[in-house]
Amino acid sequence: MAIAFKQETFRDDFSYRNSAENIRRFPFPFDRDEYMYAVNMEPHVKGQKGTAFENLIDIDEHYVAEMRDRALVLKEDPLRYQALPHMMAAQWDTLELLMEEQAVGFPEHFTLARNGDQWRWINRPLGIDDTFTFGDRSTLPCEPLEYITRQAQGDFCIVDQRDGNLWMDAGMVTTQADWSLDFDIGMNFMEWHGPVPLAHQMGVFDRALKFLLNLQQGKPTRRFNWTMTINPRLDTSPENYHKWGPDRATVTTGNVGDKVHLRVEVQSLWRLPRSNAILFVIRCYLMNMNELVTVPKWARRFPRVLRTLPPELIDYKGLTRYRQTTIDWLSKFDDGEPTSPGTFPD
Amino acid sequence: MLVEGIKSRPVYMGLSIQPRARRHIFALEGEGAHALLDRKAALDSTALSRSEILYAPRGSQGKGNDEALRALGADMFFAAPTIATLLFRLRGTLTTAHMGTRLYIAGTEGFIGQAMIVALDHGMDHASVITEHRGSLARRVQCVHCKGVTEDVTHSPFPCGHCGLPLLVRDHYSRRLGAFQGVNIDAEEPGSAPDPEELFL
Amino acid sequence: MSGGTEIPVRVTKVTPVAHRIKRFRFERLDGRPMPYFSGGAHVIVSMNDNGHLRRNAYSLMSPPYDCSAYEISVLHVDDSRGGSSFMHEKVREGDEMRVSHPVNLFQPDWRGRKHLLIAGGIGITPFIAMMEQFSREGAQFELHYAIRSRDRGAYCEDLVAHYGRHRVKIYCDAEDNRIPVARLLDSQPLGTHLYVCGPAGLIDGVLKSGLESGWPEQNLHSERFLSSQPGKPFSIELTRSGKTVHVGHHESMLEAIESAGVDAPFLCRGGACGQCETRVALCDGKLLHNDVYLTDEEKASGRKVMLCVSRFEGKALHLDL
């Protein structure tokens, strides 16, 4: 079924909203009423129809607006896209993967026709119809990773594998939760996770790294991450922190429902065939509190999770100024009833 | 934001001389001269005949060290008037260098970071470069907002030398930029920045 | 199956290429393209030897961008535990077999300014795919290939013809030609990465010379496929599945455990990747660690063992499986 793409903004007047159907497919990340820190990796396999896991690369009603926002971010700051020179094979791997998955998952919107090295790519929502030679950089208007990630929702990092570590050597990062590709590019797995509290001491990253080094072709894996954002702003970069940081001080009991958003990242990791690199897809979903409480199970569970968050994480996720206000507001919707297991709405 | 023990913070292992190297390149700055002078015992005549010492005294801390370094009797000694001229010379040396060449860098963190960038540009793996931190703890900091680099930062927060925003100096370090990360400290409530503290002297 | 998804294939061609070396071509039974792979990758070939399951790792040598088929070359080893004998003596064109998805534990460092490849004997195979990829991507490389005699050297003439004498150099033992390793090591531009694959003696020698020539370990890469060594038979108790498994003279623990119907994880089956690391619940005797994955401390602790290549001597071994 064709998706009706919305015209909306992630800045200025913030007209971004989720339709009722889109709320129900939101990848709510909490499977219990308290906060738990874990490696939480699971196979990235197709899930039920009508969820964000129906396809392995997900497109939703926000696609066109999100791609427009990405173009604006890049225009202001071209360094949000970068690739070190040795990553060209991995760039083509990524282009192939995203084109294949989008064409298979959403044939009414995307078509890929391959004839040997001659490829034709049709992206109807964005009005693109390009023919190019796979592997030949000069037949695309820009580098292959930039080309395809201007047409795919989520942030994308490619990590190279060497010396028993993973190195972030390329990426398109415009919808990030406060980290800078320009600063982190070239870092290894432990280094770019450096600022994350608690997890290092728990050995979470050692275990995750060991697991990822043996990630196999054809067997992608996924995990969730989450934080909260004031206003439906995709680009919460450190670069612009002085511009969006003040928003955090604007939350009042009267505007929690509109302003406070749960921000969920579905991170999927894919071993790439020609380069042996790993593609890290960080797909961001935003939902405001008014939308969240339309699902009674989530309305009960989310304030309970927020109450049990360790102080280090409250600080790291930047929730200090508005967590309590948000809990207070949400508690009106929590009647104390038990919640059902799993993450999906009842 | 203020997280201690960030893993991207580089660890400087000390200037251990690699006896089997075919060529030793020492890039030294200021008090970094002592990192090499203290290891005089490990430098036999073979090692010295394969050594090239590049030195930028940089102000009063380095005074007198150039003579002591010259007196070691290395195959080549080059005294650079500034860090920039030393790095230019280092580029020239590495451009024609062969495998078997080992690079040693000693001095302030800002200097180590800048010389490391030259090494990376010449295809050296950072883990193969031998480093030692000597001298001031002052930091080279990149403002994440305007991307301007401010040298010799001793206080946090400090005003960015380019855009003027008050910046918190994080322990997060980028080898590619050779700099720590500076992030606006009062973004959420402009004007609320605490007084600067002298943290990196 | 724990080693990844297997692909059913047909053997479409068997070609003798040199003394005791044969090349095998595998095409998918379902007619779909093979997955692309990167130079240096291997697959695990599963062999059904009269009901006995054998699994060996072989480097892929077909061009990585050609997904019409996979090709491997197999040396019939003298002290074969059965795998290479099976491939040489039993496998015929038209046979059906299974191969795993490719796994790469010998990936080139793509940052390399130049790639110096050193091969001995059958160790040439991963480099054949790697050179295809280097040459397609415009990377600078040089191959130095040692063979025992002209009739035992696989692909010498093909490689010289394809890449030219300036990039492919052959050294024949029988003609008293040796790879001038020390001279090669001293003359490489900064940023060169070295890769060596072949007999253990060659790998050890080249890596040692590399360090002696002042090369940093970050620029030295090797792939050794350890095969499980035969040894005295022994028994193991699997504590979770409650089974007792007998490991025969020519069998590895992993093979014996698989034969007993217990699913154990694996990837390389050569002691390198760490996937089959297993917790030792009880050990009354001596673990013979033959892998290159565990650290010396881990080996000494006796708490972990790699099922694919290690053995045991003593009274009792209980594994957490």
Side-chain angles (χ1 to χ4, degrees), chain A residues 233-290:
Chain A
R233 192 189 291 272
L234 280 175
D235 175 29
T236 48
S237 58
E239 276 82 355
N240 286 335
Y241 176 49
H242 55 306
K243 296 177 190 160
W244 55 263
D247 293 356
R248 285 180 174 164
T250 62
V251 178
T252 62
T253 324
N255 63 21
V256 168
D258 276 334
K259 266 197 183 281
V260 178
H261 288 70
L262 173 60
R263 181 188 193 101
V264 174
E265 293 175 355
V266 177
Q267 304 181 347
S268 58
L269 295 112
W270 309 67
R271 174 71 69 189
L272 297 174
R274 297 170 186 80
S275 55
N276 203 40
I278 291 176
L279 175 66
F280 211 142
V281 181
I282 308 159
R283 175 73 164 84
C284 171
Y285 297 84
L286 289 167
M287 175 166 69
N288 71 28
M289 293 299 109
N290 282 333

Side-chain angles (χ1 to χ4, degrees), chain C residues 79 81 226-231 249-252 290 308-309 311:
Chain C
D79 52 354
R81 295 181 313 116
L226 306 168
S227 50
S228 159
Q229 296 301 308
H249 180 70
H250 281 288
E251 234 177 351
S252 71
N290 295 321
C308 60
V309 292
R311 301 191 72 85

Side-chain angles (χ1 to χ4, degrees), chain A residues 210, chain C residues 274 277-278 280 287 289 291-306:
Chain A
K210 215 166 174 177
Chain C
E277 174 182 314
T278 300
V280 175
L287 286 166
H289 293 286
D291 63 281
V292 293
Y293 179 79
L294 294 176
T295 62
D296 289 345
E297 296 85 71
E298 284 172 321
K299 287 178 182 174
S301 80
R303 285 202 285 270
K304 291 173 181 174
V305 67
M306 311 306 293

